Amino acid sequence: MRPQDIIRRKRDGGELSREEITSFVAGVVSGAWADYQASALLMAVYLTGMTTGEMEALTQAMLRSGEVLDFSDISLPKADKHSTGGVGDKTSLVIAPLVAACGVAVPMISGRGLGHTGGTLDKLEAIPGYRVHLDLAEFRRVLGGVGYAMMGQTAEIAPADKKLYALRDATETVESIPLIVASIMSKKLAAGLGALVLDVKTGSGAFMRDEGRARALARALVRTGHSCGVQTEALLTDMSQPLGAAVGNANEVQECILIMRGEAGEEAGDVRELSLELAARMVALSGSVASLDEARREVGRALTSGAALERFRRNVEAQGGDPRVCDDPSRLSDLTTREVRVESEHAGYVVSVDASEVGRAVASVGGGRARVEDRIDPAVGYTARARVGQQVSAGEPFGLLYCRPGSDSEAAAARIRAAYTVGDDAPGQVPQLIKEVIAQ
Amino acid sequence: MRPQDIIRRKRDGGELSREEITSFVAGVVSGAWADYQASALLMAVYLTGMTTGEMEALTQAMLRSGEVLDFSDISLPKADKHSTGGVGDKTSLVIAPLVAACGVAVPMISGRGLGHTGGTLDKLEAIPGYRVHLDLAEFRRVLGGVGYAMMGQTAEIAPADKKLYALRDATETVESIPLIVASIMSKKLAAGLGALVLDVKTGSGAFMRDEGRARALARALVRTGHSCGVQTEALLTDMSQPLGAAVGNANEVQECILIMRGEAGEEAGDVRELSLELAARMVALSGSVASLDEARREVGRALTSGAALERFRRNVEAQGGDPRVCDDPSRLSDLTTREVRVESEHAGYVVSVDASEVGRAVASVGGGRARVEDRIDPAVGYTARARVGQQVSAGEPFGLLYCRPGSDSEAAAARIRAAYTVGDDAPGQVPQLIKEVIAQ
């Protein structure tokens, strides 16, 4: 099959066959397709779209470009969750132990933060000693022993995605729904799942700020998951303000441990609620309980009984981390950081928070990455007190910025301050956390 | 300017600024744009189009990527003509001497044939000794001395076009009107013209078979020419059958010489008519006469008086060719070729001729090129006797195929025979040679 013929068909808005898509992905990996041919096809896909059948074929071809993990020796059902990324989005740290405690194995392959968003791997590395670079044998051992394991993408998993992502990044074809779907699904399905729950974010801190586009993405993900034979659901959730209070790394892990300890305050209510709902859906979709309501009761019990915390502790231990953080979360923080109060200039109501600006401000003082090669300082972060709808007086802090002496903390604090809009009247409505459930 | 920002704007259907287009073209030549970024932009242009302003900026940027010839020392007005290519399209050989004889200089930079179409340079090389590889000093000398000069594209002229064309060819973005416009105009305008007439072909032997697309191309070319400050007109002309009787190289030159000698038969009537009209429009647009009608009278006189043939003879001599071909055109043909009659199997009327099939058949026995690196045998060709609308009896030849002993002449003859459709009734209407004049 000539690359030109495949490019032409998509250019003209036609539907590519499974064979054509397989030939494209194989050609990108082997070099039979030149980069400039691949990028021309990517742009044609961006502009003319793909059917569910094409997305499924692309997902499968990318998945099969690498190793597909086989955990059939672990007899438990397997489920995973994926978030499209946000600010303060730390639910994976709560969900994985919660679902494992309910008897569903979670082989979670996660990513790192970039730009305004954080990444699960970076957060985990805030735990002293924690190792996210496991080989497959270790990953399998931790998964079998603890019920969940966390690691980063390896070179063996969906190598076509790595190559295509680099091209998309350089050619402004990242934001294409079919290409996003295949990228997410090919990596997630490499872990041999039976069920997958997607947390598709929308709002100021999301990659897809526009709710309509986010909904379209959620639907495409769910349809493609079903086509690939995986029980799939998506929640469309709010990212118009950071999720929970903590934005950073150590402080986000701390927030999660406090939730699992039952000690978290009201400001972590949304993290708790979203974690429970996503976990319940993973358990329900795995078929180990009769209904979603039963799954909700089960994950609720796993949280309050301490079973989730116990799984978390065992995972930290198994992956080389210091389990004492579970008993004393203050071990995560670093006493050499200094706190900068980010204060409201006016009295009034918090009308909105530009979550991406908060994420970028934290990244600017070392809590995130501007470029892939940047190193993260886990102790740096921002912990909010004020949320949308809340009343503040002049001089009252929106929250605290933790940074290193010598970093440009004033500029970062000013950036966070500017991210808050304070008005005279309470906002008409506070954004709803879970906007929609997309089941098929 | 980042390539990504420019790609994104075009991807989203926006209009690129002159600075952005200039930066793109410069980046393609310098390597600051990766090939995969350039091809992504080319696909975005293919799918979202360009405004006249963008086409003009792209033309100018490509033009300025190389040398712009300055013939201001030649005081005559300068005009040129460009054809989008066809089968048997030999008008340049008649037009250049005709226009030069009317006092308008023609610095003509031409191309070679590929696929089913012939090229002016290949035809000229059928004249023993004729050199098309002139350096710029020679070109200027011949132009100044004879009033017209013919040469091939040099590496100095619009190098961005060469690079972009190679990418377009590999990524199915050749057939984009804005990219075709910029490619044609950047090369033509490098010769510093005051007037340009375009012969845009449509029908079975043309690149744009569809009349609507050909018309759109003609309009875009004319608008862009005007934007670049050049008097520009386009004729939309018929290429549903070969132009004139001869398809090949030596036989095409012979047909042109016979036209200039006043000895051509009726079957060359369309070549003569189209050459006269294109030439008249070049003379009129150059402003050296008061009206198009006056220009028509002048070029008519230049043809019948023998002035055009005289210019042709001087040009052949100046470019190293044997001028005796002007007096005895049989010197062009080669006695070692053999003639194969291509006969009609049935009696009836010629309803249509697939011109591209005739072109490909001639190429298959050495009269054209399948690939850029193929060599052409000038003596090989096909000379038609029957045209659309004409009556033929069974066994009467459609024409004669000239080929070398040992070549697969039977297959080529069968292919030409199959290109003719013979019906019981005369076709309702014979295709009109000049379908439309597009002046702005």
Side-chain angles (χ1 to χ4, degrees):
Chain A
M1 260 176 254
R2 291 170 69 240
Q4 288 92 326
D5 297 333
I6 297 172
I7 296 170
R8 167 180 288 172
R9 190 190 305 283
K10 183 45 68 186
R11 179 198 78 181
D12 294 344
E15 183 169 0
L16 301 182
S17 69
R18 184 173 299 274
E19 292 66 37
E20 287 173 322
I21 289 173
T22 305
S23 157
F24 160 61
V25 173
V28 165
V29 174
S30 74
W33 275 61
D35 286 351
Y36 49 83
Q37 292 175 315
S39 69
L41 184 66
L42 293 171
M43 182 57 81
V45 168
Y46 185 100
L47 287 168
T48 70
M50 274 189 157
T51 63
T52 302
E54 288 177 292
M55 286 191 265
E56 191 253 316
L58 183 58
T59 298
Q60 299 279 10
M62 286 167 64
L63 169 62
R64 288 183 187 140
S65 72
E67 203 163 333
V68 181
L69 310 184
D70 178 7
F71 298 124
S72 56
D73 54 319
I74 298 170
S75 62
L76 300 173
K78 280 126 221 145
D80 198 0
K81 152 278 166 179
H82 177 82
S83 161
T84 59
V87 178
D89 180 10
K90 56 199 70 90
T91 63
S92 289
L93 276 68
V94 179
I95 289 170
L98 207 45
V99 172
C102 296
V104 174
V106 184
M108 194 177 272
I109 296 165
S110 297
R112 296 202 176 270
L114 187 62
H116 65 282
T117 64
T120 299
L121 300 180
D122 298 319
K123 292 169 196 175
L124 288 167
E125 285 180 343
I127 300 167
Y130 198 96
R131 291 185 307 111
V132 298
H133 297 292
L134 306 184
D135 62 32
L136 284 177
E138 277 181 299
F139 187 73
R140 183 185 301 273
R141 202 159 49 234
V142 177
L143 179 64
V146 181
Y148 84 92
M150 316 280 274
M151 72 167 183
Q153 163 100 13
T154 68
E156 290 79 33
I157 295 171
D161 179 63
K162 194 182 166 107
K163 175 94 194 191
L164 286 173
Y165 192 84
L167 278 176
R168 287 166 60 205
D169 192 41
T171 60
E172 294 293 309
T173 49
V174 168
E175 301 148 52
S176 154
I177 286 179
L179 300 178
I180 294 172
V181 166
S183 174
I184 290 175
M185 298 305 273
S186 64
K187 286 179 290 189
K188 280 289 162 184
L189 300 190
L193 307 173
L196 176 63
V197 175
L198 298 145
D199 182 7
V200 179
K201 304 285 193 195
T202 178
S204 64
F207 283 107
M208 287 209 172
R209 293 175 166 228
D210 177 69
E211 191 170 320
R213 289 232 341 133
R215 183 173 291 110
L217 172 61
R219 289 188 178 146
L221 283 163
V222 170
R223 281 200 310 268
T224 303
H226 286 299
S227 289
C228 292
V230 176
Q231 293 294 320
T232 314
E233 275 182 12
L235 300 189
L236 191 67
T237 69
D238 180 59
M239 185 36 69
S240 70
Q241 61 181 331
L243 189 70
V247 176
N249 292 280
N251 62 343
E252 290 200 30
V253 177
Q254 188 168 33
E255 190 168 36
C256 292
I257 293 173
L258 291 174
I259 288 170
M260 289 187 278
R261 292 180 63 83
E263 295 166 1
E266 207 182 308
E267 69 283 1
D270 56 349
V271 184
R272 188 177 186 280
E273 181 190 342
L274 186 54
S275 300
L276 283 166
E277 185 63 16
L278 289 165
R281 289 177 178 274
M282 287 164 70
V283 171
L285 279 185
S286 297
S288 64
V289 293
S291 70
L292 177 58
D293 276 340
E294 199 182 321
R296 283 182 179 133
R297 282 192 295 273
E298 241 192 73
V299 299
R301 272 195 301 270
L303 190 66
T304 50
S305 68
L309 183 65
E310 189 48 34
R311 293 280 174 158
F312 182 78
R313 184 196 306 275
R314 284 167 55 195
N315 172 270
V316 169
E317 216 160 9
Q319 297 203 202
D322 181 353
R324 291 175 296 175
V325 298
C326 300
D327 307 306
D328 179 8
S330 71
R331 286 183 172 271
L332 286 157
S333 55
D334 184 324
L335 297 174
T336 66
T337 57
R338 68 190 195 88
E339 294 176 15
V340 179
R341 282 163 59 103
V342 181
E343 295 170 355
S344 179
E345 285 168 348
H346 314 284
Y349 292 88
V350 176
V351 174
S352 68
V353 186
D354 185 335
S356 83
E357 278 298 291
V358 175
R360 280 182 228 281
V362 169
S364 74
V365 282
R369 280 186 195 85
R371 283 164 308 190
V372 179
E373 62 272 21
D374 291 345
R375 284 199 61 184
I376 281 181
D377 183 338
V380 166
Y382 171 72
T383 298
R385 292 186 183 174
R387 294 184 62 75
V388 171
Q390 208 165 306
Q391 207 171 359
V392 287
S393 50
E396 185 183 333
F398 292 129
L400 295 175
L401 177 66
Y402 302 91
C403 49
R404 296 291 179 187
S407 68
D408 195 358
S409 56
E410 285 313 314
R415 193 167 182 178
I416 294 174
R417 191 179 304 117
Y420 284 80
T421 304
V422 174
D424 291 337
D425 303 312
Q429 53 182 37
V430 172
Q432 204 183 343
L433 179 60
I434 299 174
K435 294 170 180 286
E436 195 175 327
V437 177
I438 290 136
Q440 58 187 333
Chain B
M1 261 177 255
R2 291 171 67 242
Q4 287 92 324
D5 297 332
I6 296 172
I7 296 170
R8 167 180 288 169
R9 190 189 306 283
K10 183 44 69 187
R11 180 198 77 181
D12 294 344
E15 183 169 1
L16 301 182
S17 69
R18 183 172 300 274
E19 291 66 36
E20 287 172 322
I21 289 174
T22 305
S23 157
F24 160 61
V25 173
V28 165
V29 174
S30 74
W33 275 61
D35 286 350
Y36 49 82
Q37 292 175 315
S39 69
L41 184 66
L42 293 171
M43 182 57 81
V45 169
Y46 185 99
L47 288 168
T48 70
M50 274 189 156
T51 64
T52 302
E54 288 176 293
M55 287 190 264
E56 190 253 316
L58 183 57
T59 298
Q60 299 278 11
M62 286 167 64
L63 169 63
R64 287 182 188 141
S65 72
E67 201 163 333
V68 180
L69 310 185
D70 178 7
F71 297 124
S72 56
D73 55 318
I74 298 170
S75 62
L76 299 174
K78 279 127 222 146
D80 198 0
K81 155 274 169 179
H82 177 81
S83 161
T84 59
V87 179
D89 180 10
K90 55 198 72 88
T91 62
S92 289
L93 276 69
V94 178
I95 290 170
L98 208 45
V99 172
C102 296
V104 174
V106 184
M108 194 177 273
I109 296 165
S110 297
R112 297 202 175 267
L114 188 63
H116 66 282
T117 65
T120 299
L121 300 181
D122 298 320
K123 292 169 196 175
L124 289 168
E125 285 179 342
I127 300 167
Y130 197 97
R131 291 185 307 112
V132 297
H133 297 292
L134 306 183
D135 63 31
L136 285 177
E138 277 181 300
F139 186 74
R140 182 186 301 272
R141 202 158 50 233
V142 176
L143 179 64
V146 181
Y148 83 93
M150 316 281 274
M151 72 167 183
Q153 164 99 12
T154 69
E156 291 79 33
I157 294 171
D161 180 64
K162 193 182 168 113
K163 175 97 194 190
L164 286 173
Y165 191 84
L167 278 176
R168 286 166 61 201
D169 192 40
T171 60
E172 294 293 310
T173 49
V174 167
E175 301 148 53
S176 155
I177 287 178
L179 300 178
I180 293 172
V181 166
S183 175
I184 290 176
M185 298 304 274
S186 64
K187 286 179 291 189
K188 280 289 163 184
L189 300 191
L193 307 173
L196 176 63
V197 175
L198 298 144
D199 181 7
V200 179
K201 304 286 191 191
T202 178
S204 64
F207 284 107
M208 288 210 171
R209 293 175 166 228
D210 177 70
E211 191 170 321
R213 293 239 328 139
R215 183 174 290 109
L217 171 61
R219 288 188 178 144
L221 283 164
V222 170
R223 283 200 309 268
T224 304
H226 286 298
S227 289
C228 292
V230 175
Q231 293 296 319
T232 314
E233 275 182 11
L235 299 189
L236 191 67
T237 70
D238 180 59
M239 184 35 68
S240 70
Q241 60 181 330
L243 189 69
V247 177
N249 293 280
N251 61 343
E252 290 199 30
V253 177
Q254 189 168 32
E255 190 168 35
C256 292
I257 293 173
L258 291 174
I259 288 170
M260 289 187 277
R261 292 180 64 82
E263 295 166 2
E266 205 181 311
E267 69 284 359
D270 56 349
V271 184
R272 188 177 187 278
E273 180 189 341
L274 186 54
S275 301
L276 282 167
E277 184 64 15
L278 289 165
R281 288 177 179 276
M282 287 165 70
V283 172
L285 279 185
S286 297
S288 64
V289 292
S291 70
L292 177 58
D293 276 339
E294 198 181 323
R296 283 182 179 134
R297 283 191 294 273
E298 240 191 75
V299 297
R301 270 195 301 271
L303 189 66
T304 49
S305 70
L309 182 65
E310 189 47 36
R311 293 279 173 159
F312 182 78
R313 183 196 307 274
R314 283 167 57 196
N315 172 270
V316 169
E317 214 160 9
Q319 297 204 202
D322 181 352
R324 290 176 297 174
V325 298
C326 300
D327 307 306
D328 178 11
S330 71
R331 285 184 172 270
L332 287 157
S333 56
D334 184 324
L335 297 175
T336 66
T337 57
R338 68 189 195 90
E339 294 175 15
V340 179
R341 281 163 61 102
V342 181
E343 293 170 358
S344 178
E345 286 168 348
H346 314 284
Y349 292 88
V350 177
V351 173
S352 68
V353 185
D354 185 335
S356 83
E357 279 298 291
V358 175
R360 279 182 229 282
V362 168
S364 74
V365 283
R369 282 185 193 83
R371 284 164 307 192
V372 178
E373 61 272 22
D374 291 344
R375 284 198 62 184
I376 281 182
D377 183 338
V380 166
Y382 171 71
T383 298
R385 291 185 183 175
R387 294 184 62 76
V388 170
Q390 208 164 308
Q391 205 170 359
V392 287
S393 49
E396 185 182 335
F398 291 129
L400 294 176
L401 177 65
Y402 302 91
C403 49
R404 296 291 179 185
S407 68
D408 196 356
S409 57
E410 285 313 314
R415 193 166 184 179
I416 294 174
R417 192 179 303 117
Y420 284 80
T421 304
V422 174
D424 290 337
D425 302 312
Q429 52 183 38
V430 172
Q432 205 183 343
L433 178 62
I434 299 173
K435 294 169 180 286
E436 195 175 326
V437 177
I438 290 136
Q440 56 188 332

